Amino acid sequence: MSAEDQNEIDSQDDELYEHYSFDAGKLSNPLRVDKFLMNFIENATRNKIQQAAKNGNIHVNGKPVKQNYKVKANDVVKVLFEYPPYEHLLTPENIPLDIVYEDDTLLVINKPAGMVVHPGHGNYSGTLINALVYHFDNLPNNSDNRPGLVHRIDKDTTGLLVIAKTEHALNHLSNQFAEKTSEREYAALVWGNIEEEEGTVEGHIGRHHKNRLQMDVFTDGSHGKEAVTHYKVTERLGYVTLVSCKLETGRTHQIRVHMKHIGHTLFNDARYGGDKILKGTSFTKYKQFVENCFKVLPRQALHAKTLGFEHPETGAFLRFDSELPADMVECLDKWRNYARHKDLE
């Protein structure tokens, strides 16, 4: 190969953009790279992953590999393409925002169910960020180049988010979340009758070793990051319980994972098995009742209800509270009616 040809290849490599990067960590058994990536990338197909490998777009430890490469412990797997990730090509979209509070420094919005917070694989439009860059100019970028974003909540979780309008506000608010001085309280409907009136769940949260689209709890601290959730029973409804959850930390899927860990998976949380009947009778009428509740609330029963933080400019502590969304209210009303008329355990 001539030096000129090699320079051309090197130049092409320089133009590749990183779309995904995954650390295999303590992988117990070698796994084909196409199967490995299937566990990581939501909505990806095996054919597309194999084609990417054939095109030289999958690299392990800095070198391109074929689809049958066996990923080993501590390998770093990256997916690279000639074009930048779509999430960096932010298109302003005129999407209405439910603004709870706004000033020159920040705003607080009430996010609806179904809205993704920032663009990513399979969700390149209709996100909160697309709406923000339409409605507001010159929002500061966070460390992931996401304009104004201080924190996030899942697509099907509703509730309050604070957005920074200035660089100072972004740094100040981010530090509050990191230093655990902000307040975040969620309302969650979970399966089962929680025995204690209140409690605390502690345990590191990291990627599930087998299902990489899930998070898992590692109580021995061997994997993941520290996570602490305080919960308190709000209302007992027999086979389900409404709880208030206060976050001391803010890990991915924290409440969903912690509540499942203590045996109380969120109601209709499909990713963690809450879309099955986990508590109750085997009667057909009960099954129909639960399925009707699922239809009324077609998502995990989780709402970011209260948000509190110190204003970056004034130093005043602001606290905001939002009402439960209509789908959650309707589901709760059904359970209240069921609890009144049935002999529940």
Side-chain angles (χ1 to χ4, degrees):
M1 181 184 293
S2 69
E4 184 178 349
D5 290 339
Q6 185 61 55
N7 287 338
E8 183 178 350
I9 291 173
D10 291 342
S11 175
Q12 289 173 348
D13 286 343
D14 289 342
E15 294 176 5
L16 291 176
Y17 295 89
E18 181 181 305
H19 283 237
Y20 300 98
S21 179
F22 305 111
D23 189 331
K26 299 178 180 179
L27 192 66
S28 55
N29 296 307
L31 186 66
R32 278 177 57 121
V33 70
D34 51 355
K35 290 184 177 180
F36 176 84
L37 288 173
M38 281 289 290
N39 287 334
F40 269 103
I41 305 175
E42 191 171 7
N43 300 324
T45 66
R46 193 152 175 201
N47 284 339
K48 286 184 178 180
I49 291 174
Q50 290 177 345
Q51 188 59 50
K54 289 178 182 178
N55 294 339
N57 298 119
I58 297 178
H59 291 211
V60 177
N61 303 327
K63 296 180 179 180
V65 298
K66 300 299 183 183
Q67 68 264 24
N68 62 351
Y69 174 87
K70 296 288 184 70
V71 178
K72 300 177 290 297
N74 300 317
D75 276 351
V76 176
V77 183
K78 294 188 177 184
V79 182
L80 310 167
F81 292 108
E82 294 80 9
Y83 53 88
Y86 287 109
E87 54 261 41
H88 297 315
L89 305 176
L90 294 175
T91 303
E93 296 179 38
N94 187 9
I95 303 169
L97 293 173
D98 181 4
I99 298 176
V100 176
Y101 172 86
E102 181 182 0
D103 61 26
D104 293 337
T105 302
L106 56 87
L107 68 147
V108 176
I109 66 109
N110 194 21
K111 189 188 83 67
M115 175 182 270
V116 176
V117 170
H118 57 75
H121 183 78
N123 295 290
Y124 303 120
S125 64
T127 75
L128 174 61
I129 294 293
N130 293 113
L132 288 173
V133 296
Y134 177 90
H135 292 288
F136 302 97
D137 296 325
N138 303 315
L139 291 175
N141 282 339
N142 67 10
S143 59
D144 294 317
N145 292 317
R146 289 162 180 162
L149 208 61
V150 178
H151 60 130
R152 61 178 292 274
I153 55 179
D154 297 328
K155 172 185 176 182
D156 289 323
T157 298
T158 53
L160 299 173
L161 286 167
V162 59
I163 306 297
K165 286 186 173 183
T166 68
E167 195 76 37
H168 173 69
L170 181 63
N171 293 332
H172 197 286
L173 290 166
S174 296
N175 286 338
Q176 290 184 57
F177 279 76
E179 294 169 6
K180 307 174 186 178
T181 58
S182 61
E183 289 185 12
R184 284 169 291 171
E185 183 175 351
Y186 289 68
L189 184 66
V190 302
W191 279 107
N193 183 21
I194 300 179
E195 292 183 7
E196 306 84 4
E197 286 298 319
E198 56 186 273
T200 297
V201 188
E202 298 183 72
H204 281 48
I205 289 179
R207 287 282 171 193
H208 196 290
H209 285 321
K210 293 183 178 179
N211 185 346
R212 308 299 289 189
L213 296 180
Q214 288 187 4
M215 308 301 285
D216 201 2
V217 177
F218 300 86
T219 53
D220 61 0
S222 62
H223 185 59
K225 296 180 180 179
E226 176 196 14
V228 181
T229 304
H230 306 284
Y231 67 86
K232 187 175 182 179
V233 171
T234 303
E235 189 175 1
R236 299 181 185 278
L237 297 167
Y239 297 132
V240 295
T241 305
L242 181 64
V243 295
S244 166
C245 294
K246 287 188 177 181
L247 295 183
E248 190 171 311
T249 55
R251 308 304 177 202
T252 301
H253 298 176
Q254 179 169 321
I255 293 173
R256 300 165 68 182
V257 177
H258 267 174
M259 295 312 292
K260 178 178 181 177
H261 179 66
I262 63 170
H264 296 284
T265 304
L266 263 65
F267 186 78
N268 209 11
D269 188 347
R271 179 159 296 185
Y272 291 96
D275 58 341
K276 307 292 190 298
I277 297 177
L278 301 182
K279 298 290 180 181
T281 71
S282 58
F283 298 136
T284 302
K285 284 188 177 181
Y286 176 73
K287 181 181 179 182
Q288 290 175 343
F289 162 76
V290 173
E291 288 175 349
N292 286 335
C293 289
F294 286 159
K295 289 178 183 178
V296 166
L297 184 67
R299 61 182 183 90
Q300 68 261 14
L302 187 61
H303 175 67
K305 193 174 190 305
T306 304
L307 179 63
F309 53 85
E310 181 183 295
H311 194 284
E313 298 296 339
T314 68
F317 194 86
L318 305 180
R319 184 180 286 106
F320 302 92
D321 188 78
S322 61
E323 297 295 327
L324 293 180
D327 58 356
M328 205 162 167
V329 170
E330 188 173 353
C331 181
L332 283 168
D333 284 343
K334 284 184 176 295
W335 275 105
R336 288 178 184 124
N337 185 61
Y338 188 90
R340 280 195 299 267
H341 295 94
K342 298 293 180 181
D343 182 20
L344 299 180
E345 295 177 359

